[in-house]
Amino acid sequence: MAANGTGLPMARKPLAKIVTDDKQGNGMCHDDSAKGVKAQTIDELHFLQKKRSAPTTPLEGNQGAFASLPDDERRRQQLQSISASLASLTRGTGPKVVRGDPAAKSSQAVEHVAHRHHHHVEAPAISVSDDSSLKFTHVLYNLSPAELYEQAVKYEKGSFITSSGALATLSGAKTGRSPRDKRVVMDDTTQNELWWGRGSPNIEMDEHTFLVNRERAVDYLNSLDKVFVNDQFLNWDPQNRIKVRIVSARAYHSLFMHNMCIRPTDEELENFGTPDFTIYNAGQFPCNRYTHYMTSSTSIDLNLARKEMVILGTQYAGEMKKGLFSVMHYLMPKRQILSLHSGCNMGIDGDVALFFGLSGTGKTTLSTDHNRYLIGDDEHCWSDYGVSNIEGGCYAKCIDLSREKEPDIWNAIKFGTVLENVVFDEHIREVEYGDKSVTENTRAAYPIEYIPNAKLPCIGPHPKNVILLACDAFGVLPPVSKLNLAQTMYHFISGYTALVAGTEDGIKEPTATFSACFGAAFIMLHPTKYAAMLAEKMQKHGATGWLVNTGWSGGSYGSGNRIKLAYTRKIIDAIHSGSLLNATYEKIDVFGLEIPTEIEGVPSEILRPENTWGDKKAYKNTLLKLGCLFKNNFETFTNYKIGKDTKLTQEILAAGPNF
């Protein structure tokens, strides 16, 4: 207190008088500065905090079987559909389901008062013969990223929010796909339609074994207090989109598929109806190793007749993405639509390019071009209407990611993005992208609209150029070659690149890798069927095929040099602009490829590989060695008949190495 002249403290000023507003005549004091809340309890206050999302676009005409139904009836039928998806085949009925988090008991109590809450709508009771009749299965239906963050951080160990806002999570013991544990039901139809045997990714199982695994997965999911259900779409082409339902036990899996599939509008979700395909992801629960056809505790099973996929014994989310890609590789060709494992971009004039390439070839780098629109980075369809992205998101590798090398991917890692198996600082939560402590296969899954130059909707006209990328560590393939249709089919079926492998004594040498159609692990039909469709569409729409080597020049790995990315970009630019079509070409030996004699911005001497080798004999021997590897790989496909005779097969064979 301040002192007056006497040294004694000054008296305080009196407090402002509390005004009593006795309008109601009860003598009660209250604050008139704001109106009271419309709630009688804290629970009701929390309920009022969350407002139901309103539809963003008006309904036009009849949007489906549910369009004319009242809201309550529509939601009841949605829940019946989900219950049917979770039905046990032995009991013949599904569980009793309600929408909402079982932990939110207070919200459920409020609902009976407010009659507004959209997460808790009870399905009609279904009589069953065991303990499942005594419980409800709570369905967390198409939750938003924010809601899924809350579920993951609260209930899933190993889930954290990173400094960029992305959700970091762990996929458990499996940090990659398990192709040897993938099974496809062989029945009377698929036995004749699918590619089986040597070189095929399709390993058979019978219907009974699938149903055993399905029952195991469904029983596990029904034993949980809650499951996550995503109803979404595949394929941006509205004429050929597929409705998919994903039932899973983890928020991580639900958010991953929210990002990777096409997200429906509120109206599309209200009228979703019965899905075309369903995934049962019970990856936290193992399969029974004593079950026929099982070789481990992991099993990923496809039943094309039942339109179902079962996942047991692996929590790696990529199994769902690639499992659905396999389904599209089966369904789309039946509609005369070519499914492709490729990147795709479009110039400002509408010229579309497809990029095929295995890991390390530069497919992502070259298809992501700031001067062009990104249609998609991985999975596409080519129909009579043009190209369309199958997915609604991107699944990018994160190992050694930097802002300088991949600014678009770096900036896409923000709120809503799933980061798989990354390592981060425990205090500031900053991700260490170079850290391989968990796995080298660290990944980011994010919606495609997180890329600034993404084309939405993700569709485009017919491709003008088809670019096959190979990282040739043998150093004998030219930086670029123009392909005729037969050569395009040959190299498309081969799906070649070369990896650098270490030997026991420390000497490193190239190892050839072949993956049919640049995605053998996912195709369902024989590779020549996809190749024939590709050639037919290229011929019909005037597309040109190109083979681009992003690997070595002047020698093999260890003696030559990697072709500079700047040169490869100049080559790709010349393809896009059409100037490379008007170049002068000459043919090289063995592979019979046509190579340009000149490209602006690229040293002419590197365009012909032989010119860059000091040891011409070594070049010739290495060229013949690679030619032999191509021939040996192609033996798998030589006896397959395309069409009524072997004419097309012979044309493809003639387009390969000749010596």
Side-chain angles (χ1 to χ4, degrees):
M1 291 183 185
N4 56 20
T6 64
L8 297 174
M10 294 178 64
R12 291 180 176 176
K13 291 182 179 181
L15 295 173
K17 184 179 179 180
I18 298 176
V19 178
T20 301
D21 185 352
D22 197 15
K23 293 177 182 177
Q24 298 177 352
N26 57 14
M28 296 292 292
C29 297
H30 65 277
D31 183 0
D32 250 355
S33 62
K35 295 182 178 180
V37 296
K38 298 177 181 178
Q40 300 300 314
T41 67
I42 290 294
D43 286 342
E44 285 189 37
L45 182 60
H46 289 171
F47 173 78
L48 292 171
Q49 182 186 28
K50 300 174 183 176
K51 183 178 180 181
R52 181 178 179 182
S53 300
T56 54
T57 55
L59 286 171
E60 296 180 3
N62 183 13
Q63 298 293 315
F66 292 170
S68 59
L69 297 176
D71 286 352
D72 288 347
E73 177 64 16
R74 185 184 295 120
R75 292 177 196 135
R76 187 186 71 82
Q77 292 194 22
Q78 278 183 338
L79 286 170
Q80 282 186 323
S81 174
I82 294 170
S83 179
S85 292
L86 286 166
S88 162
L89 297 177
T90 55
R91 293 188 293 268
T93 55
K96 294 189 291 186
V97 294
V98 293
R99 285 175 66 171
D101 187 348
K105 295 179 181 178
S106 60
S107 296
Q108 293 180 35
V110 171
E111 182 205 0
H112 296 298
V113 177
H115 302 292
R116 288 180 59 194
H117 201 286
H118 69 295
H119 280 318
H120 303 277
V121 181
E122 185 174 333
I126 301 173
S127 177
V128 290
S129 58
D130 58 24
D131 287 349
S132 64
S133 63
L134 304 179
K135 66 181 286 292
F136 285 100
T137 298
H138 288 78
V139 174
L140 301 181
Y141 184 68
N142 275 60
L143 296 191
S144 68
E147 292 172 303
L148 290 168
Y149 265 51
E150 292 170 1
Q151 291 287 326
V153 172
K154 188 173 182 179
Y155 299 112
E156 296 180 10
K157 190 174 181 179
S159 294
F160 298 89
I161 301 174
T162 65
S163 60
S164 69
L167 180 70
T169 187
L170 295 172
S171 64
K174 301 276 183 159
T175 58
R177 290 182 300 102
S178 303
R180 294 182 181 179
D181 295 312
K182 182 181 175 184
R183 301 289 182 269
V184 181
V185 172
M186 179 185 283
D187 54 31
D188 292 341
T189 301
T190 58
Q191 183 175 8
N192 297 318
E193 288 184 337
L194 301 192
W195 178 28
W196 304 100
R198 181 187 172 191
S200 168
N202 303 316
I203 305 172
E204 70 172 284
M205 74 185 311
D206 59 28
E207 174 85 1
H208 174 75
T209 304
F210 174 85
L211 296 179
V212 169
N213 281 355
R214 183 194 185 278
E215 194 77 354
R216 190 172 176 91
V218 167
D219 282 348
Y220 169 74
L221 292 167
N222 286 337
S223 74
L224 303 175
D225 287 336
K226 63 186 177 187
V227 294
F228 298 88
V229 176
N230 291 42
D231 280 349
Q232 296 183 252
F233 299 115
L234 297 177
N235 197 355
W236 283 84
D237 175 4
Q239 304 296 323
N240 293 289
R241 73 180 182 182
I242 302 297
K243 297 186 294 183
V244 293
R245 172 168 292 165
I246 304 100
V247 185
S248 59
R250 291 191 62 182
Y252 149 49
H253 291 149
S254 184
L255 181 57
F256 178 92
M257 294 307 281
H258 169 89
N259 290 347
M260 295 310 303
C261 294
I262 299 168
R263 293 158 289 284
T265 64
D266 290 338
E267 292 75 33
E268 289 170 336
L269 199 56
E270 291 289 346
N271 299 285
F272 192 82
T274 303
D276 299 314
F277 199 87
T278 302
I279 293 179
Y280 300 97
N281 188 341
Q284 290 169 288
F285 199 66
C287 68
N288 187 336
R289 298 187 190 206
Y290 289 100
T291 305
H292 194 34
Y293 298 102
M294 299 300 102
T295 54
S296 75
S297 61
T298 298
S299 191
I300 303 99
D301 309 327
L302 277 176
N303 189 325
L304 297 171
R306 288 186 58 86
K307 302 175 183 177
E308 293 177 338
M309 176 181 176
V310 170
I311 298 175
L312 291 164
T314 174
Q315 296 179 60
Y316 181 66
E319 295 289 7
M320 295 182 288
K321 165 187 159 66
K322 290 305 185 184
L324 289 176
F325 191 31
S326 294
V327 172
M328 295 297 279
H329 270 311
Y330 174 74
L331 295 178
M332 292 298 102
K334 284 178 168 290
R335 304 183 185 187
Q336 300 306 307
I337 297 170
L338 177 59
S339 48
L340 301 165
H341 188 212
S342 69
C344 182
N345 66 24
M346 185 181 80
I348 57 175
D349 295 326
D351 59 297
V352 169
L354 295 172
F355 292 81
F356 295 89
L358 302 179
S359 179
T361 59
K363 180 182 71 170
T364 301
T365 300
L366 295 172
S367 61
T368 304
D369 187 332
H370 291 288
N371 297 314
R372 296 173 66 83
Y373 298 108
L374 179 68
I375 293 177
D377 74 330
D378 195 43
E379 302 175 9
H380 294 88
C381 287
W382 188 352
S383 72
D384 290 339
Y385 303 101
V387 292
S388 57
N389 191 348
I390 290 175
E391 302 180 295
C394 302
Y395 194 34
K397 290 183 178 180
C398 288
I399 195 67
D400 295 325
L401 179 68
S402 69
R403 189 194 300 270
E404 295 71 30
K405 291 180 181 177
E406 300 286 355
D408 285 346
I409 297 175
W410 180 277
N411 292 328
I413 299 176
K414 56 186 179 181
F415 182 83
T417 297
V418 176
L419 281 173
E420 284 183 327
N421 301 313
V422 298
V423 176
F424 53 85
D425 182 277
E426 65 176 350
H427 176 54
I428 61 174
R429 299 289 197 264
E430 192 169 287
V431 178
E432 300 286 346
Y433 290 108
D435 196 317
K436 307 173 185 177
S437 299
V438 178
T439 178
E440 284 194 28
N441 189 33
T442 53
R443 296 268 182 167
Y446 49 85
I448 193 166
E449 56 264 31
Y450 281 16
I451 299 297
N453 62 328
K455 184 184 180 301
L456 297 173
C458 302
I459 57 176
H462 296 288
K464 183 179 177 181
N465 293 293
V466 174
I467 302 169
L468 312 182
L469 301 170
C471 178
D472 177 30
F474 290 93
V476 294
L477 289 182
V480 61
S481 312
K482 185 174 70 172
L483 306 175
N484 59 35
L485 280 177
Q487 288 175 323
T488 302
M489 294 170 75
Y490 181 89
H491 288 279
F492 177 71
I493 292 171
S494 297
Y496 163 73
T497 194
L499 305 177
V500 176
T503 57
E504 290 185 5
D505 59 0
I507 300 173
K508 295 181 178 180
E509 61 181 15
T511 302
T513 299
F514 297 93
S515 181
C517 306
F518 293 93
F522 322 119
I523 60 177
M524 303 295 283
L525 312 179
H526 195 277
T528 51
K529 291 190 176 182
Y530 299 105
M533 288 184 71
L534 177 63
E536 179 186 2
K537 291 184 179 296
M538 288 179 66
Q539 188 171 34
K540 182 178 180 180
H541 301 290
T544 304
W546 307 89
L547 179 64
V548 175
N549 174 24
T550 62
W552 271 255
S553 177
S556 299
Y557 176 86
S559 59
N561 297 299
R562 185 83 185 254
I563 297 172
K564 292 181 179 180
L565 178 59
Y567 295 158
T568 303
R569 287 197 184 278
K570 288 289 185 182
I571 290 169
I572 299 297
D573 288 344
I575 292 173
H576 288 324
S577 69
S579 62
L580 207 51
L581 283 174
N582 302 319
T584 302
Y585 286 86
E586 58 186 18
K587 188 173 288 190
I588 62 171
D589 294 336
V590 181
F591 281 88
L593 298 170
E594 290 192 344
I595 61 174
T597 58
E598 187 178 2
I599 300 175
E600 184 179 353
V602 181
S604 297
E605 59 270 18
I606 75 167
L607 296 177
R608 190 176 187 91
E610 187 177 5
N611 294 341
T612 63
W613 283 63
D615 188 339
K616 305 301 182 186
K617 183 178 180 181
Y619 163 78
K620 188 70 173 180
N621 291 338
T622 306
L623 181 64
L624 292 172
K625 177 182 179 181
L626 182 61
C628 287
L629 292 172
F630 266 83
K631 281 193 168 187
N632 293 340
N633 170 72
F634 217 84
E635 286 179 0
T636 307
F637 315 113
T638 53
N639 296 324
Y640 194 85
K641 184 188 295 185
I642 305 174
K644 298 180 180 179
D645 53 42
T646 60
K647 182 180 178 182
L648 186 55
T649 304
Q650 294 303 317
E651 288 181 10
I652 297 173
L653 286 173
N658 187 12
F659 55 93

XYZ file of all heavy atoms in Angstrom, residues 474 490 496 510-512 514 622 624-634 657 659:
180
model
N 24.055 -52.077 -64.927
C 25.061 -52.679 -65.811
C 25.656 -51.623 -66.743
O 26.727 -51.833 -67.319
C 24.440 -53.812 -66.630
C 24.080 -55.024 -65.823
C 22.813 -55.166 -65.292
C 25.021 -56.016 -65.571
C 22.480 -56.268 -64.540
C 24.696 -57.126 -64.819
C 23.417 -57.258 -64.291
N 7.119 -55.918 -74.778
C 8.197 -56.764 -74.269
C 8.785 -56.186 -72.979
O 8.946 -56.903 -71.976
C 9.306 -56.918 -75.323
C 10.437 -57.814 -74.867
C 10.387 -59.181 -75.086
C 11.543 -57.296 -74.194
C 11.414 -60.014 -74.652
C 12.572 -58.109 -73.755
C 12.502 -59.475 -73.987
O 13.511 -60.290 -73.544
N 11.994 -54.471 -65.992
C 13.394 -54.603 -65.562
C 13.913 -53.396 -64.792
O 13.580 -52.246 -65.083
C 14.290 -54.818 -66.783
C 15.760 -54.565 -66.525
C 16.517 -55.468 -65.780
C 16.388 -53.417 -67.015
C 17.866 -55.226 -65.535
C 17.730 -53.176 -66.779
C 18.469 -54.081 -66.033
O 19.802 -53.834 -65.783
N 26.078 -55.432 -59.950
C 24.644 -55.287 -60.233
C 23.913 -56.624 -60.221
O 24.479 -57.661 -60.572
C 24.615 -54.679 -61.633
C 26.012 -54.251 -61.927
C 26.908 -55.103 -61.100
N 22.664 -56.583 -59.807
C 21.790 -57.754 -59.845
C 20.508 -57.373 -60.572
O 19.813 -56.432 -60.171
C 21.453 -58.237 -58.420
O 22.657 -58.534 -57.724
C 20.568 -59.475 -58.470
N 20.205 -58.088 -61.647
C 19.001 -57.791 -62.426
C 17.754 -58.186 -61.649
O 17.711 -59.229 -60.991
C 19.051 -58.522 -63.756
N 13.458 -58.396 -62.213
C 12.345 -58.324 -63.155
C 11.028 -58.459 -62.395
O 10.889 -59.331 -61.543
C 12.445 -59.433 -64.204
C 13.672 -59.342 -65.071
C 14.828 -60.036 -64.737
C 13.669 -58.564 -66.220
C 15.966 -59.955 -65.531
C 14.795 -58.475 -67.019
C 15.953 -59.169 -66.680
N 29.182 -57.241 -71.382
C 28.148 -56.861 -70.408
C 26.792 -56.749 -71.086
O 25.762 -57.148 -70.522
C 28.509 -55.529 -69.727
O 29.823 -55.619 -69.171
C 27.522 -55.189 -68.621
N 25.782 -58.419 -73.753
C 25.313 -59.778 -74.015
C 24.845 -60.454 -72.726
O 23.862 -61.214 -72.739
C 26.429 -60.605 -74.663
C 26.817 -60.191 -76.089
C 28.054 -60.952 -76.556
C 25.654 -60.438 -77.054
N 25.536 -60.166 -71.634
C 25.137 -60.728 -70.339
C 23.734 -60.267 -69.953
O 22.891 -61.071 -69.546
C 26.141 -60.319 -69.257
C 25.778 -60.800 -67.858
C 26.803 -60.316 -66.830
C 26.419 -60.769 -65.424
N 27.402 -60.293 -64.413
N 23.476 -58.980 -70.119
C 22.150 -58.461 -69.790
C 21.104 -59.023 -70.744
O 19.988 -59.357 -70.328
C 22.149 -56.929 -69.841
C 20.819 -56.256 -69.455
C 20.427 -56.606 -68.024
C 20.913 -54.737 -69.616
N 21.457 -59.161 -72.018
C 20.540 -59.761 -72.979
C 20.146 -61.171 -72.584
O 18.978 -61.558 -72.708
N 21.106 -61.959 -72.106
C 20.826 -63.329 -71.639
C 19.882 -63.319 -70.444
O 18.984 -64.166 -70.341
C 22.119 -64.037 -71.274
S 23.135 -64.517 -72.692
N 20.073 -62.370 -69.537
C 19.203 -62.272 -68.364
C 17.766 -61.966 -68.783
O 16.811 -62.519 -68.222
C 19.727 -61.188 -67.415
C 21.064 -61.479 -66.724
C 21.561 -60.249 -65.962
C 20.919 -62.667 -65.765
N 17.604 -61.088 -69.763
C 16.269 -60.786 -70.286
C 15.636 -62.032 -70.895
O 14.459 -62.329 -70.652
C 16.348 -59.676 -71.335
C 16.116 -58.288 -70.807
C 17.151 -57.575 -70.224
C 14.868 -57.697 -70.892
C 16.944 -56.286 -69.744
C 14.641 -56.408 -70.411
C 15.690 -55.696 -69.830
N 16.410 -62.760 -71.703
C 15.878 -63.954 -72.371
C 15.476 -65.016 -71.357
O 14.411 -65.642 -71.483
C 16.923 -64.520 -73.335
C 17.014 -63.772 -74.648
C 17.829 -64.565 -75.665
C 17.693 -63.972 -77.056
N 18.343 -64.808 -78.089
N 16.323 -65.224 -70.351
C 16.004 -66.235 -69.333
C 14.748 -65.874 -68.565
O 13.913 -66.736 -68.266
C 17.186 -66.380 -68.360
C 18.407 -66.976 -69.015
O 18.309 -67.623 -70.059
N 19.572 -66.755 -68.423
N 14.597 -64.598 -68.246
C 13.404 -64.165 -67.520
C 12.157 -64.359 -68.369
O 11.099 -64.756 -67.855
C 13.529 -62.690 -67.130
C 12.234 -62.114 -66.579
O 11.818 -62.423 -65.466
N 11.576 -61.271 -67.369
N 12.260 -64.124 -69.683
C 11.078 -64.140 -70.540
C 10.615 -65.554 -70.887
O 9.517 -65.725 -71.447
C 11.340 -63.344 -71.824
C 10.146 -62.568 -72.292
C 9.863 -61.324 -71.763
C 9.293 -63.080 -73.259
C 8.754 -60.604 -72.188
C 8.185 -62.372 -73.689
C 7.911 -61.127 -73.148
N 15.899 -59.017 -76.964
C 17.295 -59.120 -77.407
C 17.458 -60.152 -78.513
O 16.853 -61.232 -78.469
C 18.035 -59.544 -76.133
C 17.146 -59.109 -75.017
C 15.754 -59.250 -75.526
N 20.547 -62.001 -80.591
C 21.994 -62.228 -80.798
C 22.274 -63.727 -80.882
O 21.430 -64.543 -80.535
C 22.823 -61.609 -79.668
C 22.447 -62.047 -78.286
C 23.086 -63.121 -77.684
C 21.440 -61.395 -77.574
C 22.740 -63.516 -76.400
C 21.099 -61.785 -76.301
C 21.743 -62.850 -75.707
